[in-house]
Amino acid sequence: MTKWFDTNYHFIVPELGPNMKFTYSSHKAISEYKEAKALGIDTVPVLIGPVTYVLLSKPAKGVNKSFPLLSLLGSILHVYKEVIAELKAAGASWIQFDEPSLVMDLDSHQLDAFTKAYSELESSLSDLNVLIETYFADVPVEAYRTITGLSAISAFGFDLVRGTKTADVIKSAGFPSGKYLFAGIVDGRNIWANDLASSLTILKDLEAVVGKDKLVVSTSCSLMHTAVDLVNETKLDGEIKSWLAFAAQKVVEVNALSKALAGQTEEVFFSANAAAQSSRKSSPRVTNAEVQKAAAALKDSDHRRATNVGIRLDTQQKKLNLPILPTTTTGSFPQTVELRRVRREYKAKKISEEEYVKAIEEEISKVVKLQEELDLDVLVHGEPERNDMVEYFGEQLSGFAFTVNGWVQSYGSRCVKPPIIYGDVSRPKAMTVFWSSTAQSMTSRPMKGMLTGPVTILNWSFVRNDQPRHETCYQIAFAIKKEVEDLEAAGIQVIQIDEAALREGLPLRKSEQAFYLDWAVHSFRITNCSVKDTTQIHTHMCYSNFNDIIHSIISMDSDVITLENSRSDEKLLSVFREGVKYGAGIGPGVYDIHSPRIPTTEEIADRINKMLAVLEVNILWVNPDCGLKTRKYTEVKPALTNMVAAAKLLRSQLASAK
């Protein structure tokens, strides 16, 4: 499973090979079309486009990594022809092919694949209106020319929200006569009400290019990336609520813009929208002059710690006195039914604060004792007080709002409820110091203070769109910096600042990636630039292909980084085999926490040995891939027992070798 482009939605990556046989298996598209039709609703069936399907695939295990996946396109198109024929027979008049790969940096061979694929499908698509939909970024000029030159295609959809330059491309390169333009002017990935007046101006400009009857008002992408209906939010502040639009409201916005374009403007709706836009711009709750000033000042330095990481590690080791191959976990421990009940009842005011604190302290004590029994070297408090690694912090920061039912699908039946960043961000008071200090008082071993980093908080929230994202990120970084300083003052010697989603926000176009990585890495450095050399800063990253951003990871300048590794077939290690030098502490995960399977001591020891082949023993840490909150204690205890045993076995072998 991996992230769908730069969203928080996951998909299962197809694994293909040269001997793969493709057959028509799932009839979901047809059955759902028929179901809607039986209810009197004529829908547009949506299929993932054949070229994007192939480009998002990867060679299966045992298949040479250089295997040309596009060589399978012809075989796959036979299945598409069957699906198209069945949709036609069912009465479909439109079919939509999602080809978001068109916004990527594609070479001429990949672009040719679109021409070949849709030329091959042309006879099958006869008598149908066919839409190719793109989203999440601008479509490069060459890709634009390629798809708009396809004779089998009736309509082209473009994201005009994230694709800020696409409207200019349409105007300069022209638009094919007689074709439809689906103008994605309503944001499908955020929850802010559309600026209807501004959008109408853009649409009228495009209408002059494509023709009055050939412009279709649309959302920028599927509405699955936003919350469902604002009507369900009965507890949200009234003023903030007036600034928002969830999926149901976005459909209303699309209809209103379409009517206005046809000369039937709904004056009351447009006036209310203009008032909400004005309210948001002028509201004192959005802007905090002190925060703006502090964030602006942050740009004057690169915020690197004064001492080299090698010297810092030596200084920290003298204080921490850790063995080689130190063991730790990445933060959370299992969230039991009882623990969730306690948090739920406290939130509903069914138990007192005193009862809640007592229950959480008992859970922390249990987790600390377990780690001591397992003989882990650096401990965590288990995060029993936290519902979600972003929501927990957002609830304690100013500038954030929260929904009750603003769920967004992440994968399968799993959903997330992103916070809404509506204004300048600051930290009114300490957020984690009490719990970290409580946990440290229960043990003589180092206890990690656990924080979520600014980039991850940003990327896993609905972010304000009235200022650049990097400015909001700097504000969050400054708030986390204050928390880091308070943890250090409270005697916490090891502080972990998770950046699980740093790579997730990487722009899809290479030309935009350097700027993002610069401010994202800078934001992380801001959080810990002021700590003493003796304070060890950790970070954790997961859900990522790290190899292409390894130099940015090094530039983060953390003392120790733990990364997901075992779940991705240890791809991370290849970058070190290719000669990249890493001088800070590093803990590539030794087992996959997403599986209930318990790894053996021998299996983990073998993984550690593979790491030692490319990494120095004095910088290597031993830890799971990720947090343990989704696992059961019956799985966690034996897995960690075997992990510690493997580390001790390797220590013994290394000592004997000396």
Side-chain angles (χ1 to χ4, degrees):
M1 231 174 15
T2 193
K3 296 293 178 82
W4 178 249
F5 293 84
D6 59 348
T7 75
N8 197 24
Y9 180 73
H10 299 69
F11 74 101
I12 297 174
V13 180
E15 298 185 13
L16 310 179
N19 301 316
M20 189 84 55
K21 303 294 182 189
F22 297 94
T23 58
Y24 186 9
S25 175
S26 171
H27 293 250
K28 187 172 185 287
I30 286 82
S31 62
E32 290 184 350
Y33 173 77
K34 289 180 176 178
E35 181 182 353
K37 190 175 182 182
L39 295 169
I41 305 168
D42 190 20
T43 60
V44 178
V46 180
L47 305 174
I48 182 71
V51 184
T52 290
Y53 174 83
V54 174
L55 292 178
L56 292 181
S57 302
K58 67 178 182 179
K61 281 188 179 180
V63 175
N64 193 299
K65 299 301 179 188
S66 63
F67 171 69
L69 291 165
L70 282 172
S71 65
L72 299 171
L73 191 56
S75 302
I76 291 170
L77 291 176
H78 289 296
V79 179
Y80 274 83
K81 289 176 182 179
E82 292 183 64
V83 179
I84 293 165
E86 196 168 347
L87 283 169
K88 267 176 138 178
S93 58
W94 278 85
I95 294 180
Q96 175 176 321
F97 292 102
D98 279 7
E99 292 282 13
S101 290
L102 282 161
V103 306
M104 306 290 282
D105 296 302
L106 303 179
D107 59 33
S108 58
H109 175 62
Q110 292 167 323
L111 287 175
D112 285 345
F114 287 93
T115 302
K116 291 174 182 176
Y118 288 97
S119 295
E120 173 73 18
L121 292 174
E122 186 164 2
S123 59
S124 299
L125 294 170
S126 61
D127 302 321
L128 283 170
N129 287 304
V130 182
L131 165 64
I132 284 185
E133 185 66 65
T134 70
Y135 38 77
F136 300 154
D138 284 300
V139 174
V141 175
E142 286 305 311
Y144 176 83
R145 288 175 176 152
T146 297
I147 60 166
T148 54
L150 298 173
S151 57
I153 308 306
S154 321
F156 310 93
F158 301 108
D159 182 340
L160 302 181
V161 178
R162 290 188 173 235
T164 56
K165 302 172 185 173
T166 297
D168 290 334
V169 171
I170 294 169
K171 294 172 191 175
S172 61
F175 194 77
S177 177
K179 308 277 180 154
Y180 293 93
L181 169 62
F182 280 60
I185 196 72
V186 173
D187 194 348
R189 283 186 60 175
N190 216 327
I191 42 67
W192 302 107
N194 188 275
D195 184 340
L196 297 178
S198 175
S199 293
L200 192 58
T201 299
I202 295 169
L203 291 169
K204 286 179 177 178
D205 286 347
L206 290 171
E207 187 180 59
V209 177
V210 305
K212 196 168 186 65
D213 61 339
K214 295 299 180 183
L215 184 64
V216 179
V217 182
S218 180
T219 56
S220 63
C221 61
S222 163
L223 292 174
M224 68 180 291
H225 303 291
T226 190
V228 178
D229 195 341
L230 196 56
V231 171
N232 298 324
E233 301 304 325
T234 56
K235 297 182 180 180
L236 202 56
D237 176 271
E239 184 181 32
I240 293 174
K241 191 174 180 178
S242 74
W243 304 339
L244 307 180
F246 290 1
Q249 289 70 44
K250 291 178 185 295
V251 173
V252 174
E253 290 177 338
V254 167
N255 286 333
L257 286 167
S258 183
K259 287 179 181 178
L261 205 58
Q264 302 166 23
T265 303
E266 298 176 354
E267 297 294 349
V268 174
F269 186 70
F270 268 69
S271 295
N273 176 266
Q277 297 293 323
S278 176
S279 160
R280 187 176 167 211
K281 288 175 183 175
S282 61
S283 175
R285 64 182 7 170
V286 170
T287 304
N288 182 320
E290 188 177 330
V291 172
Q292 293 273 354
K293 183 179 178 181
L298 292 174
K299 301 170 187 176
D300 297 334
S301 166
D302 67 1
H303 294 91
R304 290 185 181 275
R305 291 169 75 181
T307 311
N308 177 274
V309 67
I311 296 172
R312 297 199 307 262
L313 288 173
D314 288 342
T315 304
Q316 292 155 12
Q317 177 57 14
K318 288 173 185 175
K319 192 167 185 178
L320 298 173
N321 194 29
L322 299 173
I324 61 168
L325 305 178
T327 55
T328 190
T329 65
T330 59
S332 60
F333 265 65
Q335 298 255 326
T336 62
V337 172
E338 173 63 17
L339 184 56
R340 293 177 191 275
R341 181 193 65 78
V342 168
R343 284 207 310 265
R344 186 170 60 250
E345 290 187 353
Y346 177 60
K347 196 168 188 177
K349 296 183 169 51
K350 291 182 178 179
I351 61 173
S352 67
E353 183 175 0
E354 184 180 348
E355 290 172 305
Y356 171 73
V357 169
K358 184 174 182 244
I360 297 299
E361 285 180 339
E362 287 174 356
E363 182 69 18
I364 291 173
S365 177
K366 183 177 75 173
V367 169
V368 170
K369 286 177 182 175
L370 172 60
Q371 292 173 92
E372 289 184 326
E373 290 168 7
L374 294 170
D375 205 18
L376 285 157
D377 299 303
V378 176
L379 312 189
V380 297
H381 78 290
E383 304 176 15
E385 78 285 10
R386 303 185 190 183
N387 45 8
D388 174 86
M389 65 184 290
V390 172
E391 187 174 45
Y392 177 78
F393 289 94
E395 286 174 340
Q396 301 181 78
L397 294 168
S398 65
F400 280 76
F402 295 86
T403 63
V404 175
N405 296 297
W407 298 99
V408 179
Q409 186 182 22
S410 179
Y411 62 88
S413 61
R414 179 177 169 80
C415 295
V416 294
K417 190 156 59 69
I420 298 168
I421 305 176
Y422 68 84
D424 290 338
V425 177
S426 62
R427 187 200 70 148
K429 61 181 180 179
M431 302 179 285
T432 66
V433 176
F434 173 76
W435 297 119
S436 292
S437 299
T438 298
Q440 184 64 81
S441 71
M442 297 175 179
T443 181
S444 60
R445 302 186 187 208
M447 174 64 62
K448 282 198 278 191
M450 302 298 303
L451 305 174
T452 301
V455 186
T456 296
I457 291 175
L458 184 88
N459 285 337
W460 285 353
S461 298
F462 287 126
V463 183
R464 58 189 293 190
N465 60 357
D466 58 343
Q467 69 178 15
R469 287 173 70 89
H470 67 271
E471 290 187 14
T472 302
C473 200
Y474 286 148
Q475 292 178 2
I476 302 170
F478 190 65
I480 298 298
K481 178 178 182 286
K482 290 184 176 181
E483 187 72 12
V484 169
E485 290 167 353
D486 282 354
L487 282 168
E488 182 182 56
I492 303 301
Q493 301 175 57
V494 182
I495 302 171
Q496 181 170 308
I497 307 164
D498 286 343
E499 284 295 12
L502 188 141
R503 194 192 184 283
E504 183 181 306
L506 192 69
L508 301 176
R509 302 288 294 281
K510 289 178 182 175
S511 60
E512 300 168 7
Q513 292 175 359
F515 176 65
Y516 166 79
L517 288 169
D518 179 66
W519 63 254
V521 169
H522 187 187
S523 295
F524 176 83
R525 289 201 304 262
I526 287 168
T527 65
N528 60 89
C529 62
S530 61
V531 300
K532 302 171 186 173
D533 287 354
T534 50
T535 299
Q536 190 167 86
I537 298 296
H538 289 222
T539 190
H540 174 68
M541 299 176 73
C542 54
Y543 310 120
S544 293
N545 174 13
F546 305 110
N547 294 27
D548 57 349
I549 62 165
I550 189 64
H551 294 289
S552 294
I553 291 174
I554 293 171
S555 186
M556 291 171 74
D557 198 30
S558 64
D559 296 310
V560 179
I561 182 169
T562 56
L563 304 111
E564 181 273 319
N565 171 64
S566 63
R567 195 164 174 237
S568 59
D569 298 325
E570 301 177 337
K571 287 179 184 174
L572 172 67
L573 300 185
S574 65
V575 76
F576 300 114
R577 293 190 191 100
E578 292 163 6
V580 171
K581 299 298 180 185
Y582 194 76
I586 183 168
V590 297
Y591 79 89
D592 180 11
I593 63 88
H594 294 87
S595 168
R597 180 179 169 275
I598 298 164
T600 65
T601 298
E602 293 73 24
E603 180 184 332
I604 295 174
D606 180 60
R607 286 187 187 273
I608 297 171
N609 271 320
K610 288 179 180 176
M611 297 171 192
L612 288 171
V614 292
L615 294 165
E616 298 293 331
V617 67
N618 63 316
I619 65 170
L620 187 61
W621 284 62
V622 178
N623 46 263
D625 261 350
C626 204
L628 305 170
K629 68 183 290 184
T630 61
R631 300 266 57 90
K632 298 174 182 176
Y633 274 104
T634 52
E635 299 158 352
V636 167
K637 289 178 183 178
L640 291 180
T641 296
N642 293 346
M643 186 187 82
V644 173
K648 289 181 176 179
L649 175 65
L650 267 295
R651 289 172 195 161
S652 176
Q653 291 176 355
L654 289 166
S656 298
K658 285 185 179 179

